[in-house]
Amino acid sequence: MTTTPRPPWPARLTIRRTTVADPLARPLLDELTHEYSTRYARPVDLSREYPAEEFAPPGGAFLLLLADGAPVAGGAYRRYDACTAELKRIWTHSAHRRRGLGRRVLAALEEDAAARGYSRVYLTTGPRQPEAKGLYLAAGYRPLFDLSVPPESIGPLPFVKHLEIPRP
């Protein structure tokens, strides 16, 4: 297996508000699909899981983190209820991990959701994704499950975080 060389760091990072259909999103979503299929030993089709319009304004958003114009990470949220955004599809490309990019995407999603009036965010991650669990705990998310119980016995691991809504 060949690996993509890492670019010199730090690259110029920008957030692009876009859609699931953006061609720049395809490599990240393809790798995410492969990762889920591999970790959970079952086929995954993200395009059938949720309609793309759920990740579009006014209730949702799809963000890409670009390094010098190339996609390195991304994530989305959709409306969960009147005051809650549900985070989905947070992903860092395998060639760009361990650089805090997932944390940047998380912060951008939280900021965007707060700007749209959401006062909290909710998410679930899979029990075979300890990296994601660690990210959410480190970012101040409160687990809605017992951390001492083996994750595989719980199923999807739910988290919640309250947001500061910006004042005009």
Side-chain angles (χ1 to χ4, degrees):
M1 180 176 182
T2 61
T3 59
T4 306
R6 287 184 171 195
W9 215 257
R12 192 176 126 256
L13 296 173
T14 56
I15 293 289
R16 177 175 176 154
R17 284 163 179 76
T18 188
T19 68
V20 173
D22 186 328
L24 280 177
R26 183 57 29 217
L28 291 174
L29 294 174
D30 286 347
E31 188 180 47
L32 177 58
T33 298
H34 175 74
E35 183 76 18
Y36 284 171
S37 297
T38 302
R39 281 197 193 203
Y40 296 99
R42 63 176 174 77
V44 173
D45 184 352
L46 293 177
S47 66
R48 292 182 178 206
E49 201 172 277
Y50 303 102
E53 46 287 349
E54 289 191 22
F55 301 116
F62 186 83
L63 308 178
L64 289 176
L65 180 63
L66 307 176
D68 296 328
V72 293
Y77 68 84
R78 65 189 190 135
R79 179 186 164 100
Y80 186 77
D81 64 32
C83 65
T84 309
E86 180 182 18
L87 302 184
K88 302 298 287 179
R89 299 181 180 168
I90 297 169
W91 188 249
T92 300
H93 189 282
S94 60
H96 301 282
R97 293 191 182 139
R98 311 296 305 162
R99 296 178 175 165
L101 302 178
R103 185 75 174 254
R104 284 181 180 239
V105 168
L106 201 55
L109 290 167
E110 291 169 1
E111 182 180 318
D112 196 88
R116 290 182 199 246
Y118 290 111
S119 60
R120 70 181 204 145
V121 287
Y122 169 81
L123 65 87
T124 60
T125 192
R128 295 182 186 171
Q129 295 170 253
E131 314 88 339
K133 177 182 163 187
L135 170 66
Y136 303 134
L137 290 171
Y141 282 74
R142 184 172 55 88
L144 300 176
F145 60 95
D146 185 345
L147 287 169
S148 68
V149 174
E152 289 281 341
S153 69
I154 299 170
L157 308 176
F159 292 85
V160 68
K161 183 177 183 179
H162 291 275
L163 301 174
E164 294 290 325
I165 298 176
R167 299 194 190 272

